[in-house]
Amino acid sequence: AQKVTQAQTEISVVEKEDVTLDCVYETRDTTYYLFWYKQPPSGELVFLIRRNSFDEQNEISGRYSWNFQKSTSSFNFTITASQVVDSAVYFCALSDNYGQNFVFGPGTRLSVLP
Amino acid sequence: DTGVSQDPRHKITKRGQNVTFRCDPISEHNRLYWYRQTLGQGPEFLTYFQNEAQLEKSRLLSDRFSAERPKGSFSTLEIQRTEQGDSAMYLCASSLSLAGGPALLDQYFGPGTRLTVT
């Protein structure tokens, strides 16, 4: 069965600090997709990134970066120079190659303090 | 507004009543997903459609739950004989899946319908 673990329940940082959100996954599939979503206080889930299991290149998008390590089954998310607007719950998710068996982690609540 | 929309945004009902929620996906998206999210948890997959065909149902989807997508566009989720344990946020998402090539799996979520069963 597929499983996503986000061990950090809550994280608090002060604005401008860097923060890394951990995600560890379990799957027996050889091809799969990993995702990160943001859920701000307004409640609507916002798609951040999708990563195919064959693509282990790290990705950077502005202040966001993702580190995919297949050897440790991890897909960690780093926010550089955090801002108050980054405060939200962040979910890591996993699906099979066909977009089925979609599983979300329990989420990490990030609070960025001014 | 070209995003995913859901109606109603909030629903309060008494135990035992039936409720129906509607989801309108992004117009060119052929896949539509339903999830349930309880407080402090991540979304739990319920079911999904490819066009009008319901391709997968979670074991979470009891016999009291039924979903339809009759014309491959909007979808409805009905809960019969609601129970207090059904209280949750019901989320709809849509995505575009292309035949014959890598599926585009980016799911875009609607604002959700918050159900409270009293």
Side-chain angles (χ1 to χ4, degrees):
Chain A
Q2 308 209 121
K3 184 178 178 182
V4 176
T5 301
Q6 295 178 256
Q8 303 149 309
T9 306
E10 293 191 36
I11 300 176
S12 285
V13 298
V14 177
E15 206 170 17
K16 296 184 185 175
E17 284 185 7
D18 298 348
V19 58
T20 295
L21 310 181
D22 298 334
C23 172
V24 174
Y25 63 92
E26 294 176 30
T27 181
R28 292 178 182 171
D29 295 338
T30 53
T31 304
Y32 49 88
Y33 286 89
L34 294 160
F35 306 79
W36 276 95
Y37 285 85
K38 174 182 180 180
Q39 190 171 42
S42 60
E44 195 158 335
L45 278 157
V46 177
F47 167 79
L48 296 178
I49 190 172
R50 166 174 55 92
R51 172 66 63 191
N52 182 287
S53 55
F54 287 117
D55 182 2
E56 289 194 68
Q57 274 195 328
N58 291 333
E59 180 155 342
I60 298 174
S61 176
R63 296 184 298 107
Y64 295 169
S65 63
W66 290 269
N67 184 286
F68 177 29
Q69 297 275 353
K70 210 167 177 179
S71 59
T72 56
S73 297
S74 65
F75 186 44
N76 296 337
F77 172 32
T78 297
I79 302 175
T80 303
S82 59
Q83 300 176 1
V84 173
V85 294
D86 295 328
S87 297
V89 181
Y90 290 86
F91 292 99
C92 182
L94 167 69
S95 82
D96 65 19
N97 191 40
Y98 304 99
Q100 299 180 148
N101 297 318
F102 222 100
V103 175
F104 280 79
T108 296
R109 180 176 299 277
L110 174 66
S111 298
V112 181
L113 308 173
Chain B
D1 186 8
T2 57
V4 178
S5 62
Q6 292 186 246
D7 184 69
R9 295 291 305 276
H10 302 273
K11 178 72 178 178
I12 300 174
T13 190
K14 291 186 178 177
R15 187 164 50 96
Q17 298 294 306
N18 299 343
V19 294
T20 300
F21 310 140
R22 177 180 169 125
C23 170
D24 286 88
I26 293 172
S27 58
E28 61 269 26
H29 284 184
N30 53 3
R31 284 198 176 182
L32 187 148
Y33 299 78
W34 284 101
Y35 293 85
R36 179 173 68 189
Q37 186 178 24
T38 53
L39 205 60
Q41 301 295 319
E44 296 171 297
F45 169 79
L46 294 178
T47 188
Y48 93 95
F49 293 84
Q50 173 105 359
N51 301 311
E52 62 275 7
Q54 189 172 17
L55 296 188
E56 190 182 358
K57 291 169 63 173
S58 162
R59 275 172 268 172
L60 292 174
L61 216 64
S62 77
D63 291 345
R64 297 185 297 105
F65 288 69
S66 62
E68 294 183 343
R69 194 181 184 200
K71 296 181 181 178
S73 56
F74 73 92
S75 174
T76 57
L77 177 69
E78 182 183 14
I79 309 174
Q80 296 182 326
R81 304 181 302 282
T82 52
E83 302 172 357
Q84 287 188 321
D86 297 331
S87 295
M89 178 76 86
Y90 289 83
L91 298 169
C92 175
S94 71
S95 70
L96 179 63
S97 174
L98 301 177
L104 291 179
L105 303 177
D106 304 344
Q107 294 188 12
Y108 294 88
F109 282 80
T113 295
R114 182 168 295 285
L115 172 66
T116 302
V117 182
T118 61

